[in-house]
Amino acid sequence: MKKHISQNAKITKILKVNSSKHTCITFYLEGNLNPFFQAMCRAQTLQFPHKRSSMVSLDSIRRDPRWRDPNLHEVISMLSHPMDPVKSNAAAYLQHLCYENDRIKHEVRQLNGVPILVELLDHPKAEVHRKACGALRNISYGKDHNNKIAIKNCDGIQALVRLLRKTSSVEVKELVTGTLWNLSSHEPLKMTVINHGLQTLTDEIIIPHSGWRRESLDPSKLQSAEWTTVFKNTSGCLRNVSSDGAEARQKLREREGLVDALLHALQSAVVNKDTDNKSVENCVCILRNLSYHVHKEIPGEERSAESPADHLMRSVGHQKKKNEPDCFGGKKPKDTGWKNGFMDRKYGTLDLPKRTEHMKGLELLYQPEVVRLYLSLLTYSHNHNTLEAAAGALQNLAAGHWAWSSYIRATVRKEKGLPILVELLRSDVDKVVRAVAIALRNLAMDRRNKDLIGSYALRDLVSNLPCGQQHPAKNLEGDTVVSILNTIHEIITDSPENARALIQGHAVQKLVAINKSSQSARETKAASHVLQTIWAYKDLRNTLHKAGWNKSHFKPITTGVTKKSKSVKQGSDDITLPLMDKNQGQQITACMLSPKCYQTII
């Protein structure tokens, strides 16, 4: 059916040429339409059903002096045109204009184009809401959070979620989830995304694409994860919102099927040896965030706290018998051969609570079985963000005076996880070294772990320390140096054997240099704590004197350290169209749980 076009209309038609990535708009200034252009308008309205009509030369028409490109105000007015093709192509042109152009995005917002685009998300025609969503995706990208707020203020998040529920188009799902990923990078919008979108994102995207099924408990019947763009966008969005705080974490933990599906997706990645993609990174970051403060925030946590007797036994520790084998092997290994010398250690059973039913949901976060999954990721992945997040998950689970953290610490030892972590101390990536060092610190709260870490990790920890003003080749950040020093302090506390090994490893020279010369007050303080702990062992003083050290070397330095270590925070991920290679940062916060336990969250 032909559409009627007014002969006196000033806005006549938007013409789309080439492809969806390049849209060109022409504008009729005045006068009547000639028959030739009337035919082309009719052909565009009918989506170019006649080949000869679509072959009309745009260049020849645009040479007519009556034609010019419309300004932005005119393009936005076309979004309200009664003809659907005009709306869709105007939205497509805005998508093109807004690509990496902050000035245009600002002007679109100032001209109230955002509410009109959001309204078009509910348009019944697929072409209209698809193009409108594409424009919003580009508008929502970037550091100017005012664009994100403008979308939220006209109920854009709710409209995006409605569109995700009703559409069957993969392309539209990619656009919607990409836009939500962009919006979730702004802190004030995270809870809005959770409140309006978590159920839909979980049920419509995460669970179906993860391969996990609610109705099946038989692992053999579960499918492999599908690493689609939609899954990547959605997991990126949930990764962002999972860092918002305790309320956000609790809502995600309690979302039925979410934790189950994420864990299944990661297990699928390990089985299929596909551990380096962005979706895997997103999933393990979400789980690391949900493991943060889990011992404080889960219902009934107080019933799982360690009893005073348990705490005393952990503090007093286990006296290792002479010649008793351990998870690193019975003898001190050489530089490269120790990973092949594992022997099972009879480490004294920890009686896990007997299960009366299948574990699910948030309970899966802290079951000892997850240790094997994280260790597998640490073994097979080459993605530095994934390595950092997997180490951070173990770090979080091993923190605190909590029954489950005791089980986790023992399970890491049983599953031969300590050598895997020690190996990663040799990484050249700062954030990986930092996460691993803090994980070892929390794991060393277990006395048997402390003995093993002291025997096999001290050398690598010390090698990462700077020597006064001279930093090692890795040039680690101040926060990482402080983490390493705090880990060393935990290892030698209540362990004169580890302190003696530290002295024999020529660490005192580095510690004294940091204490005396470091420009970081935090580094100086951490090094001072280690030195004071060493000096407190009176049986070691004779050894120290013979090496040329005296009491003055172990005193804290109280002057001349005023510089603070720098900490870099990057914004959460957001994306634009066309997709481009870029460094997608993540917000990083280090949070101290207690003087001996650190946890991190991205």
Side-chain angles (χ1 to χ4, degrees), residues 319-561:
Q319 297 301 319
K320 181 179 177 181
K321 295 180 181 179
K322 187 176 181 179
N323 299 326
E324 182 182 3
D326 56 44
C327 70
F328 283 84
K331 297 180 180 179
K332 188 172 182 178
K334 294 182 180 180
D335 215 14
T336 58
W338 52 271
K339 289 215 304 186
N340 296 321
F342 295 150
M343 294 177 64
D344 284 330
R345 177 187 179 93
K346 296 179 181 179
Y347 57 87
T349 58
L350 277 172
D351 294 329
L352 297 175
K354 293 183 178 180
R355 302 172 182 173
T356 57
E357 56 184 21
H358 179 73
M359 295 291 103
K360 61 181 180 179
L362 67 87
E363 294 174 317
L364 294 173
L365 288 171
Y366 52 85
Q367 297 303 309
E369 288 86 344
V370 302
V371 168
R372 186 175 299 171
L373 174 61
Y374 293 133
L375 292 177
S376 295
L377 290 169
L378 291 172
T379 301
Y380 298 119
S381 181
H382 298 90
N383 182 323
H384 299 147
N385 293 327
T386 298
L387 293 174
E388 179 198 17
L394 292 176
Q395 167 194 328
N396 287 347
L397 294 173
H401 305 304
W402 190 49
W404 287 105
S405 63
S406 296
Y407 305 144
I408 294 294
R409 290 191 284 265
T411 303
V412 171
R413 179 174 66 249
K414 178 183 177 183
E415 295 291 337
K416 314 297 189 297
L418 296 177
I420 296 172
L421 290 164
V422 171
E423 184 84 13
L424 287 169
L425 286 175
R426 301 166 193 172
S427 170
D428 293 327
V429 181
D430 181 274
K431 59 187 176 183
V432 173
V433 175
R434 179 167 60 247
V436 168
I438 303 174
L440 288 170
R441 184 187 188 191
N442 288 353
L443 291 166
M445 293 171 65
D446 178 293
R447 181 59 193 226
R448 278 160 281 179
N449 285 349
K450 178 179 289 191
D451 292 342
L452 291 168
I453 295 169
S455 298
Y456 295 96
L458 272 177
R459 180 182 59 183
D460 291 294
L461 289 166
V462 171
S463 70
N464 281 315
L465 291 177
C467 188
Q469 300 287 356
Q470 301 300 317
H471 283 260
K474 294 182 185 179
N475 194 26
L476 300 176
E477 294 181 5
D479 286 345
T480 304
V481 173
V482 170
S483 298
I484 292 170
L485 289 167
N486 289 337
T487 301
I488 293 173
H489 184 263
E490 175 64 31
I491 293 170
I492 68 172
T493 298
D494 299 325
S495 178
E497 296 85 359
N498 287 343
R500 186 181 299 277
L502 188 67
I503 296 169
Q504 293 171 347
H506 308 290
V508 175
Q509 180 180 355
K510 285 189 172 184
L511 293 167
V512 170
I514 295 171
N515 188 37
K516 181 179 180 180
S517 305
S518 175
Q519 297 300 300
S520 165
R522 294 180 64 233
E523 287 182 16
T524 300
K525 184 177 180 180
S528 175
H529 285 165
V530 176
L531 289 169
Q532 291 176 69
T533 301
I534 295 173
W535 187 255
Y537 293 117
K538 294 181 180 180
D539 292 344
L540 300 179
R541 291 180 183 175
N542 186 44
T543 302
L544 292 169
H545 285 310
K546 288 181 179 180
W549 306 108
N550 57 55
K551 185 177 181 179
S552 64
H553 293 111
F554 297 85
K555 288 184 177 180
I557 303 298
T558 57
T559 60
V561 282

Side-chain angles (χ1 to χ4, degrees), residues 134-353:
L136 288 171
R137 186 180 193 182
N138 280 4
I139 290 172
S140 63
Y141 172 80
K143 296 181 180 179
D144 187 354
H145 295 310
N146 289 320
N147 299 324
K148 300 176 176 67
I149 294 172
I151 294 173
K152 181 259 184 184
N153 286 345
C154 56
D155 296 332
I157 293 174
Q158 294 93 313
L160 287 163
V161 173
R162 284 196 302 271
L163 179 55
L164 183 61
R165 282 198 298 264
K166 75 179 182 181
T167 186
S168 59
S169 166
V170 173
E171 183 181 0
V172 173
K173 289 180 180 181
E174 290 178 359
L175 291 169
V176 171
T177 55
T179 308
L180 289 172
W181 190 359
N182 290 349
L183 296 174
S184 70
S185 68
H186 187 40
E187 293 289 336
L189 305 188
K190 292 183 177 182
M191 282 307 302
T192 305
V193 172
I194 290 173
N195 290 334
H196 294 285
L198 178 58
Q199 179 178 352
T200 299
L201 291 172
T202 301
D203 294 345
E204 300 291 333
I205 308 297
I206 294 294
I207 291 177
H209 290 254
S210 71
W212 178 79
R213 298 294 179 266
R214 286 190 176 96
E215 63 276 5
S216 177
L217 299 179
D218 184 356
S220 63
K221 296 181 180 179
L222 297 177
Q223 301 174 352
S224 297
E226 300 172 2
W227 307 119
T228 61
T229 300
V230 175
F231 187 82
K232 179 186 69 176
N233 293 350
T234 305
S235 58
C237 175
L238 296 183
R239 172 182 176 178
N240 282 346
V241 301
S242 67
S243 69
D244 192 48
E247 182 183 0
R249 289 193 296 272
Q250 199 62 14
K251 282 183 177 291
L252 265 67
R253 290 176 190 140
E254 293 174 351
R255 180 65 247 156
E256 184 181 358
L258 177 59
V259 173
D260 311 67
L262 293 173
L263 286 170
H264 176 77
L266 291 180
Q267 290 164 352
S268 171
V270 170
V271 169
N272 295 315
K273 293 182 171 55
D274 185 11
T275 57
D276 292 326
N277 64 66
K278 185 69 176 182
S279 295
V280 168
E281 176 190 325
N282 288 337
C283 289
V284 72
C285 284
I286 296 168
L287 291 169
R288 186 265 302 278
N289 290 351
L290 298 187
S291 300
Y292 177 75
H293 275 184
V294 67
H295 63 290
K296 289 185 174 182
E297 297 171 355
I298 63 168
E301 172 273 329
E302 65 281 354
R303 296 194 298 272
S304 298
E306 285 184 345
S307 68
D310 292 333
H311 182 63
L312 179 62
M313 286 295 291
R314 183 180 53 78
S315 300
V316 172
H318 156 80
Q319 297 301 319
K320 181 179 177 181
K321 295 180 181 179
K322 187 176 181 179
N323 299 326
E324 182 182 3
D326 56 44
C327 70
F328 283 84
K331 297 180 180 179
K332 188 172 182 178
K334 294 182 180 180
D335 215 14
T336 58
W338 52 271
K339 289 215 304 186
N340 296 321
F342 295 150
M343 294 177 64
D344 284 330
R345 177 187 179 93
K346 296 179 181 179
Y347 57 87
T349 58
L350 277 172
D351 294 329
L352 297 175

